[in-house]
Amino acid sequence: MSDKSKNTPETLEKSGFSRRGFLGASALTGAAVAATAFGGAVMSRETWAAAVKDAQQKIHVAPGELDDYYGFWSGGHQGEVRVVGVPSMRELMRIPVFNVDSATGWGLTNESRHIMGESAKFLNGDCHHPHISMTDGKYDGKYLFINDKANSRVARIRLDIMKCDKMLTVPNVQAIHGLRLQKVPHTKYVFANAEFVIPHPNDGSNFDLQAESAYTMFNVIDAEKMEMAFQVIVDGNLDNTDADYTGKYAASTCYNSEKATDLGGMMRNERDWVVVYNIPRIEAAIKAGKFSTVGDSKVPVVDGRAGSEFTRYIPVPKNPHGCNTSSDGKYFIAAGKLSPTVTMIEIAKLDDLFDDKLKDPRDVVAAEPELGLGPLHTTFDGRGNAYTTLFIDSQVVKWNMAEAVRAYNGEKVNYIKQKLDVQYQPGHLHASLTETSEADGKWLVALCKFSKDRFLPTGPLHPENDQLIDISGDEMKLVHDGPTYAEPHDCILARRDQIKPQKIWKRDDPFFAPTVERAKKDGINLETDNKVIRDGNKVRVYMTSMAPTYGMTEFTVKQGDEVTVTITNIDQIEDVSHGFVMTNHGASMEISPQQTASITFTADKPGLHWYYCSWFCHALHMEMVGRMLVEPA
Ligand code: RUQ
Ligand code: CUA
Ligand code: CA
């Protein structure tokens, strides 16, 4: 009996609709869980069947049909970004970033190592927050930015080719965590929080984190140049961040205002804070030359610690985590984590706070609704509702923002609209277009950190569970369970018309420009030449590829030579990617139509070594091979 047979209305009805009865069942039963949990009433068999059918229709993208949304998922500590179709939740592509990928050769090819720069020496990464560039508060589809907590980097992906094209190591900080983009007037800046407090200089001369010389910084990156614009020294540590819809303010949560080094210490204060940055004031100071630098870095640094004109510190309950700007532009919402509340900071009042017209920074708090246990992140449907993950309660709570404000002001209103069980322990959640002014309230993805019993067992390591929830109606409905690998942390959804990828490479693409430059110096026409250039013990092999052959099927080098193979795929046909693998040399790469790619290795073993095409490109793909002949030294 297949598992699916368990999900008929009949069997579910027999199980008495108990919550436990649903736990092992798959996607579609979830819709009924939601419906019964909300309504509290037992459904008739007919209602049940209708609910299942409705959910099924909504997420079913038939063979040959396309999804409505592009999802971009962080690959977590696996280091990549994944492209997922929504609502089908089908994985469409993987974009290697902070990892090494043998299919595409990311981290192995000269082009990728050039982009990774110095940090190509790191083979690991830890992505959390993918975000797409915006113009006027709407996705412009140009770039996606992502942080690397592990090695304090920020990377940019060009969405026209879906490859990483820039990578930056943020100087003098440790662990880039929260990352968001300026929304208005356009993404001029990437805002990146460095989480950990470190001593300055961090040369082993001082380990005291309570010292004034110990701090972390809020980092602002020029999005187009992918260079540091400036850094802001802050009190405490930094967790998550977001920007407003005026282009003036950004805000970060801080859970370690104590600058403590242990768990007990980090929970000592009843309140930590949200720090708000006044971007124009910082820009003006830097323009006027009023800044310093740290260590041997030339990046302008301003001191934004308490008392500074650049920042304001707004006390919020204990160890806040998520920081999300409501899609109506009104609030920064900080999730309580250790407090059952979220704090709504009214952005319209920030001017007065910075102009010292408000004496108490808590005067900008519009409301502090109590939502449930372990609030982590908040997302929005564009209809005035917010949705917050409750990690400890394993729920998503839907609540109304205007009603929460009224309740805070003493009115008797129940701002909680629904609590939906999710499976289990959700971290981030993301509603379609929620971080733009176009939040459309259609889909919500809850990224659950635990999947427990939701999937076939895979050994001690379990997948995470990304659940798709239909939020288009009055009630949230769980419609799909999606197993994912290595904690995606966060994902975003863009309408499919907002992303416009190319189908084949353009020959003048900057992605492989340094390689084209090298070939030019060697007098090579990449589209036609098949040649070996010797330069001391460096050998550069240039060849073309066209299904199902390489332009060169044999070349000879000497033992100990450093060999660089550069291949230009002259196929013009969409989807005909070739590969190049030199057996037993650790060399592998992708060469898609009209792309030039190159890889360098040492020919350290005398003898004959086959190379072959690794992407199945033609009926005679197996025959797409060649030989490297290595003469003994
Ligand atoms: S954080 S589970 Cu890395 Cu985005 Cu909140
Ligand atoms: Cu070319 Cu397979
Ligand atoms: Ca704390």
Side-chain angles (χ1 to χ4, degrees), residues 547-550 576-579 613-618 621-622 624:
T549 50
Y550 291 115
V576 183
S577 295
H578 298 292
C613 173
S614 48
W615 294 88
F616 209 110
C617 55
H618 192 276
H621 153 82
M622 296 305 290
M624 188 164 172

Side-chain angles (χ1 to χ4, degrees), residues 136-171:
D136 295 327
K138 301 178 178 77
Y139 288 140
D140 60 24
K142 205 168 169 193
Y143 300 123
L144 182 140
F145 298 86
I146 186 129
N147 72 301
D148 169 24
K149 178 166 171 177
N151 295 306
S152 311
R153 291 176 287 184
V154 173
R156 182 174 82 182
I157 288 166
R158 263 175 58 198
L159 290 175
D160 59 341
I161 51 171
M162 301 234 180
K163 300 275 188 204
C164 170
D165 83 318
K166 293 275 182 192
M167 198 175 282
L168 168 74
T169 301
V170 180

Side-chain angles (χ1 to χ4, degrees), residues 333-355:
I333 297 186
K337 196 167 76 184
L338 291 188
S339 155
T341 57
V342 297
T343 305
M344 301 170 70
I345 294 168
E346 195 167 343
I347 293 169
K349 287 196 174 156
L350 291 174
D351 282 356
D352 283 352
L353 183 64
F354 273 93
D355 292 342

Side-chain angles (χ1 to χ4, degrees), residues 2 59 103 105 147 158 268 270 289 291 402 428 494 515 569 576 604:
S2 84
I59 62 161
N147 72 301
R158 263 175 58 198
R268 202 177 55 239
E270 269 320 302
F291 61 85
H428 274 269
T515 309
N569 181 351
V576 183
D604 50 3

